[in-house]
């Protein structure tokens, strides 16, 4: 049931279906309202939402503008849907009119861009486990709108498969079908055929076109955003390893006193990109394939048409198109900006639409769209990428119907062991059991697929290792139920002196590191003899800010459940004086076992092996960070680059130094090391983005031993992705022997310029190293240990 006082929003499709859905919801006693998809453009204040149904119009394609409006409305109502789910019921569904089979029936698709909405719903299902999320596709020939509406409402209000096709006599769920038949037949290109390739000079697309050149030697016109490469600087010649090039760059182009990490990394990325373009072009020419590189942004239709016309004049009629261009702006739906959404959609989807128009009159023999398994299953932080690629999948089907003589493929690639996959991302895929494709495997798989006889149906193809499909398609998360309070604490700076060292905006704020310690204590409270292996899915929902003191907090835990030889326990930390007014501050899940797991081997990434951070810890705490003496855990900061940070941190004192009456005489973890790690993330955000950050979530905090070293440890922070509002990464805590003590994977922090004044009421007294130009302030003991 929808919580009282909340509305269900249904976007008007102007065909009568949306109104029929309103009637069906009303029959169940649910309060719903019809809205336009662009309601936010003329009305900001909306009542709290219990549900959102995005209903696509059947009389015209959902254009890029309409898709943007759908995303904006979803993002705006997302917090309401999550809160409604916690209060008793919240749901989100997209309703498209492809063919009643998610585009897989083989029937003509009149409005393929609608497919993008399914990518949004599949990602929301992963990011919002509490909310019922569905991607529903209705048969456009279903004329009984009342019956169709009832089917939509019935599906939307019940947990089950996320993606479902609905017709008058059918309910279909997509599933993967493995194809092991051997390749056969010739490639659909001849030697010398001109092929346009976007994003083809670098990364995975380059690996594929080099293999294509080896097989058939077409003329390859590579389009990319990298400027046309000139000659390498003399100092770079002969250097192959990235870290060697970085050191030489700092020596030759950035003096030690003026090195700004972000500027140096930007220059390094440009040099490496130019080298990769040169190597790709040379590899193609060595194979006997005519090749040219033309810099262009595929989001610029006029420039794109001019470049294609130039390529046609030079190499003859265009016979093939491989669209591999794309960018990532990983960020949760609730945090993603419209500017980031536009960059991702504009490059992948808008770029193809511009290419399709520019090549409308060409007799193509080959059309390959590089999509992603993100489109098939959704992926955390990639709603825009899932939407763009799912639209490409359906556009590929429409193009196959329009071009019967053309071999059309939308390759839903799994993750490659190259390109945008950093060491941190690689470890996360390994943790999930996802196999990475090597460049050679991926290129060979593409050629094999092109040699298969075309049956007109296998347009969308998934290639690459992935999690079991049923885990990705059917999303049935466990809800934390039956939690009961076990521990209560009353917080104030007198009984918890450590809070005096964590004053933000004139109010004491409880550090997440201390909350994590308390959650671990709650998990072990009624499970003696076990050890805490990990805390998983940690999410800080509302920070504990002591407006009045003392403030009561309670740790709640569920019953232990068996898991892989151990047990898992659901946990919550709630606060407030009355049970009816409790505020949920943090949620997590603990994994308990008889012993800690063995630590994995760890090797410091090359990009973090440098030693040139210019500020001392004293300057950092005086000018940037707000932490008082008890929480000043940074002892020496070794480096800060676009790839992350490395620092030595102090060990926490005994619990009674921080808390008047601690629950235990020793820490489960080391809350000072944890807080110092979060400080590193905030410092990195300041240096690279010009605004500090605060932690918000972590996928997993895993412990490899019971006692942390009393002399402190080294912390490595590896960046996975970063935007102007969010940083995501992983931490590794190492002892003096370089063995892992603990790891935090999937860490997230919110970057907010308004925090700058909260950190330092008079303003942060330091210039970001990489966020803006200008001399750095004076430094004490620059670059040395303190």
């Amino acid at each position: 049931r929808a919580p009282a006082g909340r509305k269900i929003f249904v976007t008007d499709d102007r065909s009568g279906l949306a109104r029929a859905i309103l009637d069906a919801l009303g029959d169940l006693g649910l309060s719903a309202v019809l809205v336009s998809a662009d309601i936010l453009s003329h009305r900001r204040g909306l009542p709290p939402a219990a549900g959102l149904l995005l209903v696509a119009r059947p009389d015209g394609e959902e254009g890029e503008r309409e898709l943007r409006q759908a995303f904006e409305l979803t993002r705006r109502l997302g917090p309401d849907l999550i809160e409604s789910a916690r209060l008793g019921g919240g749901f989100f569904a997209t309703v498209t009119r492809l063919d009643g089979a998610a585009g897989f029936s083989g029937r003509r698709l009149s409005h393929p861009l609608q497919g993008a909405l399914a990518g949004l719903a599949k990602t929301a299902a992963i990011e919002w486990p509490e909310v019922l999320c569905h991607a529903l596709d209705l048969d456009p020939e279903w004329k009984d709108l009342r019956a169709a509406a009832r089917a939509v409402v019935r599906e939307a209000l019940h947990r089950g498969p996320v993606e479902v096709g609905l017709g008058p006599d059918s309910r279909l769920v997509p599933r993967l079908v493995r194809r092991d038949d051997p390749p056969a037949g010739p490639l659909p290109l001849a030697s010398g055929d001109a092929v346009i390739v976007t994003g083809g000079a670098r990364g995975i697309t380059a690996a594929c076109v080099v293999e294509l050149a080896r097989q058939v030697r077409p003329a390859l016109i590579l389009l990319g955003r990298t400027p046309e490469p000139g000659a390498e600087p003399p100092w770079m010649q002969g250097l192959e390893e990235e870290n060697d090039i970085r050191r030489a760059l700092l020596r030759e182009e950035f003096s030690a006193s003026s090195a700004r990490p972000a500027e140096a990394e930007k220059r390094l990325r440009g040099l490496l990109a130019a080298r990769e373009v040169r190597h790709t072009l040379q590899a193609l020419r060595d194979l006997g394939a005519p090749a040219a590189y033309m810099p262009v942004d595929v989001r610029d239709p006029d420039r794109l048409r001019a470049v294609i016309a130039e390529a046609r004049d030079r190499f003859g009629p265009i016979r093939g198109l491989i669209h591999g261009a794309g960018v990532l702006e990983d960020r949760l739906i609730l945090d993603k900006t419209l500017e980031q959404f536009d960059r991702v959609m504009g490059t992948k989807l808008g770029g193809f639409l511009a290419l399709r128009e520019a090549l409308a009159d060409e007799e193509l023999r080959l059309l390959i769209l590089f999509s992603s398994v993100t489109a098939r299953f959704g992926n955390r932080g990639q709603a825009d990428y899932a939407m763009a690629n799912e639209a490409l999948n359906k556009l590929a089907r429409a193009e196959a119907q329009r071009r019967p003589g053309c071999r059309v493929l939308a390759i839903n690639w799994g993750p490659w062991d190259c390109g945008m996959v950093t060491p941190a991302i690689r470890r996360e895929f390994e943790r999930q059991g996802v196999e990475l494709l090597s460049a050679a495997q991926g290129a060979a798989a593409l050629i094999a697929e092109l040699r298969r006889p075309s049956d007109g149906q296998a347009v969308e193809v998934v290639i690459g290792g992935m999690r079991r499909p049923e885990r990705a398609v059917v999303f049935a998360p466990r809800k934390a139920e039956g939690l009961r309070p076990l521990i209560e604490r009353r917080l104030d700076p007198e009984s918890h002196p450590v809070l005096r060292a964590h004053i933000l905006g004139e109010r004491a704020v409880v550090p997440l590191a201390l909350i994590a310690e308390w959650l671990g204590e709650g998990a072990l409270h009624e499970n003696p003899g076990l050890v805490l292996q990990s805390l998983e899915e940690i999410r800080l929902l509302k920070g504990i800010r002591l407006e009045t003191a003392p403030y009561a907090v309670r740790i709640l835990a569920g019953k232990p459940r068996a898991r892989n030889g151990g047990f898992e326990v659901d946990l919550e930390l709630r606060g407030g004086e009355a049970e009816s007014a409790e505020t949920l501050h943090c949620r997590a899940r603990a994994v308990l076992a008889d012993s800690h797991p063995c630590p994995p081997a760890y090797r410091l990434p090359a990009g973090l092996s440098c030693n040139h951070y210019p500020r001392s810890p004293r300057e950092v705490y005086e000018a940037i960070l707000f932490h008082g003496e008890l929480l000043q855990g940074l002892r020496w900061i070794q480096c800060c680059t676009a790839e992350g940070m490395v620092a030595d941190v102090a060990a926490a004192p005994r619990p009674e130094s921080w808390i008047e009456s601690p629950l235990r005489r020793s820490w489960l973890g080391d809350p000072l090391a944890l807080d110092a790690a979060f400080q590193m993330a905030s410092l990195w955000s300041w240096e690279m983005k010009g605004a500090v950050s605060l932690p918000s979530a972590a996928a997993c905090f895993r412990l490899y031993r019971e006692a942390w070293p009393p002399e402190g440890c080294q912390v490595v922070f590896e960046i996975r992705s970063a935007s102007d509002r969010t940083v995501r990464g992983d931490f590794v805590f190492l002892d003096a022997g370089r063995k892992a003590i603990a790891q935090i994977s999937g860490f997230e922090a919110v970057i907010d310029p308004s925090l700058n004044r909260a950190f330092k009421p008079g303003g942060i007294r330091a210039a970001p190293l990489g966020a803006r130009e200008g001399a750095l302030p004076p430094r004490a003991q620059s670059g040395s240990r303190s």
Side-chain angles (χ1 to χ4, degrees):
R1 306 293 295 181
R6 292 175 174 259
K7 295 284 187 181
I8 296 170
F9 292 90
V10 182
T11 60
D12 191 358
D13 68 328
R14 303 182 189 177
S15 76
L17 175 64
R19 292 191 177 275
I21 290 174
L22 251 64
D23 293 340
L25 290 167
D27 290 342
L28 297 176
L30 298 174
S31 177
V33 60
L34 203 64
V35 298
S36 62
D38 65 342
I39 187 173
L40 295 178
S41 64
H42 50 82
R43 181 179 174 186
R44 289 290 166 182
L46 297 175
L52 173 61
L53 275 157
L54 296 175
V55 186
R57 292 174 56 182
D59 57 350
E61 284 194 352
E62 298 296 293
E64 292 176 273
R65 181 174 63 88
E66 287 77 17
L67 294 176
R68 189 179 196 263
Q69 291 169 349
F71 173 80
E72 186 179 15
L73 186 57
T74 303
R75 184 189 64 170
R76 164 64 179 80
L77 297 181
D80 287 350
L81 301 179
I82 295 170
E83 182 65 20
S84 184
R86 291 170 183 158
L87 293 173
F91 72 94
F92 169 61
T94 61
V95 182
T96 56
R97 313 282 186 90
L98 295 173
D99 59 356
F104 292 100
S105 70
R107 293 159 52 188
R108 179 176 177 80
L109 302 184
S110 299
H111 311 302
L113 262 67
Q114 290 184 5
L117 295 176
L120 176 58
K122 286 183 276 189
T123 300
I126 294 172
E127 293 187 15
W128 305 340
E130 305 96 331
V131 180
L132 290 172
C133 295
H134 291 91
L136 307 177
D137 183 52
L138 279 184
D139 186 337
E141 300 302 318
W142 196 348
K143 303 303 182 184
D144 186 345
L145 296 185
R146 289 177 59 84
R150 288 194 297 269
V152 165
V153 170
R154 183 170 56 249
E155 202 71 44
L157 296 181
H158 291 85
R159 193 170 297 280
V162 175
E163 190 172 19
V164 177
L166 297 171
D169 303 306
S170 63
R171 179 182 181 275
L172 304 172
V173 178
R175 65 182 178 89
L176 292 182
V177 177
R178 187 178 184 88
R179 298 212 308 172
D180 293 319
D181 51 304
L187 293 172
L189 290 174
S191 177
D193 281 350
V195 179
I196 297 288
V197 186
T198 68
R202 301 177 56 208
I204 63 174
T205 320
C208 290
V209 297
V210 168
E211 185 59 30
L212 187 63
R214 183 176 288 111
Q215 298 289 331
V216 75
R217 295 177 180 79
L220 293 158
I221 303 98
L222 311 182
L223 311 184
R225 291 174 297 159
T226 301
E228 190 165 1
E232 283 187 349
W235 58 261
M236 188 176 172
Q237 295 173 15
L239 299 179
E240 296 297 331
E241 295 296 326
E242 181 176 320
N243 209 37
D244 293 338
I245 298 172
R246 179 182 284 105
R247 282 194 290 266
L249 171 66
L250 293 171
R251 182 179 65 248
E252 297 292 335
E253 298 189 13
F254 293 85
S255 68
S257 62
S258 65
R260 298 181 178 90
E263 292 179 1
E265 287 297 315
K266 182 178 179 180
R267 172 65 170 151
L268 176 65
R269 293 300 121 201
L271 290 169
L272 295 175
R275 170 177 279 188
E276 193 173 356
V277 172
R278 282 191 296 269
H279 284 182
T280 300
L281 290 171
Q282 190 58 51
L284 296 175
R285 290 162 184 160
D286 289 346
L287 290 168
Y293 179 76
M294 298 182 179
V296 64
D297 188 333
V298 294
R299 295 176 298 175
D300 184 344
D302 294 337
R303 172 63 182 153
L304 185 62
R305 280 193 296 270
V307 165
I308 290 177
E310 182 182 345
R312 189 183 296 111
D313 291 342
R314 184 171 171 183
F315 295 101
I318 308 300
R319 293 293 179 244
L321 169 64
I322 302 175
H323 180 43
V327 296
L328 292 177
E329 292 278 2
D330 286 7
R331 197 171 175 187
L332 299 177
I333 292 171
L334 302 187
D335 299 330
K336 196 178 293 286
T337 67
L338 291 177
E339 291 75 18
Q340 293 168 328
F341 178 87
D342 291 340
R343 280 193 293 273
V344 173
M345 292 287 285
T347 303
K348 179 62 74 174
L349 176 56
F352 174 66
L353 294 176
L355 287 162
R356 184 179 68 168
E357 181 180 351
L359 298 170
D361 297 328
E362 298 286 348
E363 294 184 9
L364 298 182
R365 297 170 184 161
L366 176 67
L367 173 56
I368 301 176
L369 303 181
F370 277 20
S371 181
S372 168
V373 292
T374 294
R376 179 88 312 272
F377 303 132
N379 194 27
R380 182 179 173 84
Q382 294 187 330
D384 45 8
Y385 200 60
M387 291 177 70
N389 283 296
E390 187 70 323
L392 284 192
N393 287 338
K394 307 315 173 190
L395 283 164
R397 289 189 169 277
E399 287 297 300
Q401 294 163 352
R402 192 171 74 88
R403 297 176 180 269
C406 180
R407 183 75 160 99
V408 181
L409 281 175
I411 305 291
N412 287 239
W413 290 111
W416 288 60
D417 193 12
C418 59
M420 293 180 282
V421 177
T422 65
I425 295 174
R426 184 179 296 109
R427 285 197 297 274
E428 178 62 17
F429 279 130
E430 290 170 354
R431 186 184 72 82
Q432 296 177 12
V434 177
E435 181 183 353
L436 301 182
L437 277 170
S438 70
Q441 288 173 324
L446 174 61
I447 297 301
E449 190 61 39
L450 289 176
R451 290 190 181 279
R452 297 183 192 275
S454 175
D455 56 9
Q457 294 298 317
V459 174
E460 296 180 52
V461 179
V462 176
I463 297 179
M466 67 198 73
R467 294 166 290 181
R468 293 187 298 118
E470 59 269 30
R471 285 182 57 196
V473 174
V474 182
F475 190 77
R478 184 188 300 109
K479 294 185 66 176
E481 296 176 349
L483 273 67
R484 58 193 182 92
L486 299 179
I487 302 170
E488 179 170 329
R489 300 198 67 89
R490 300 185 73 81
L491 308 181
D492 58 64
E494 285 68 39
S495 62
H496 293 71
V498 68
L499 298 180
R500 298 173 187 154
H502 208 253
I503 305 296
L504 188 61
E506 301 182 352
R507 291 286 185 271
V509 177
V510 180
L512 179 59
L514 199 56
I515 292 175
E517 181 75 19
W518 290 340
L519 290 172
E521 291 171 349
L524 293 172
H525 190 70
E526 293 190 344
N527 297 287
L530 300 177
V531 301
L532 178 67
Q533 277 197 353
S534 63
L535 289 173
E536 300 183 351
E537 297 182 20
I538 306 167
R539 181 155 294 278
L540 185 62
L541 301 167
K542 183 177 178 59
I544 305 176
R545 181 184 173 96
L546 300 188
E547 303 288 350
T548 59
Y551 181 73
V553 296
R554 284 167 288 282
I555 302 163
L556 294 83
K559 293 182 179 180
R561 300 181 298 270
R563 169 179 161 177
N564 298 332
F567 301 90
E568 61 181 23
V569 178
D570 292 323
L571 299 163
E572 289 182 354
L573 189 145
R574 292 180 175 269
E577 293 302 322
E579 186 174 339
S580 61
E582 274 193 341
T583 298
L584 176 58
H585 290 288
C586 190
R587 174 181 285 146
R589 185 175 65 246
V591 176
L592 310 178
D594 294 328
S595 61
H596 292 287
C598 294
Y602 180 76
R603 182 177 180 181
L604 188 69
L608 294 177
S609 61
C610 50
N611 180 4
H612 64 267
Y613 184 69
R615 305 190 202 276
S616 69
R618 179 178 177 181
E619 179 190 351
V620 165
Y621 287 116
E622 288 181 348
I624 303 173
L625 300 181
F626 68 90
H627 302 75
E629 185 176 351
L630 284 180
L631 287 174
Q632 292 182 1
L634 296 174
R635 297 189 303 199
W636 177 56
I637 304 167
Q638 175 181 320
C639 73
C640 175
T641 73
E643 296 181 25
M645 291 184 75
V646 180
D648 286 353
V649 306
R654 294 182 63 83
E656 56 265 27
S657 300
W658 281 15
I659 300 172
E660 194 174 83
S661 301
L663 294 173
R664 299 166 58 96
R665 285 193 270 181
S666 61
W667 300 112
L668 288 174
D670 186 321
L672 182 57
L674 259 66
D675 198 75
F678 302 155
Q679 294 172 33
M680 290 169 63
S682 189
L683 184 57
W684 185 93
S685 302
W686 170 255
E687 301 290 22
M688 295 296 160
K689 300 295 183 180
V692 288
S693 64
L694 288 176
S696 61
C700 183
F701 170 39
R702 184 172 285 108
L703 296 164
Y704 297 114
R705 65 175 71 172
E706 189 163 358
W708 287 50
E711 68 274 14
C713 62
Q714 184 182 66
V715 182
V716 181
F717 180 35
E718 294 185 43
I719 300 298
R720 289 185 59 186
S721 64
S723 68
D724 291 339
R725 298 301 299 271
T726 306
V727 58
R728 300 175 67 197
D730 302 322
F731 293 102
V732 181
F733 301 81
L734 303 169
D735 64 14
R738 309 286 296 174
K739 290 185 177 179
I741 305 164
Q743 286 182 309
I744 297 177
S745 59
F747 169 80
E748 298 178 11
V750 176
I751 302 173
D752 187 347
S754 69
L755 291 172
N756 293 350
R757 188 162 296 278
F759 269 45
K760 296 291 182 183
I764 292 179
R765 302 183 300 279
L769 299 184
R772 59 175 180 261
E773 296 289 336
L776 297 175
R779 303 177 184 84
Q781 305 177 32
S782 177
S784 62
R785 292 178 183 265
S786 62

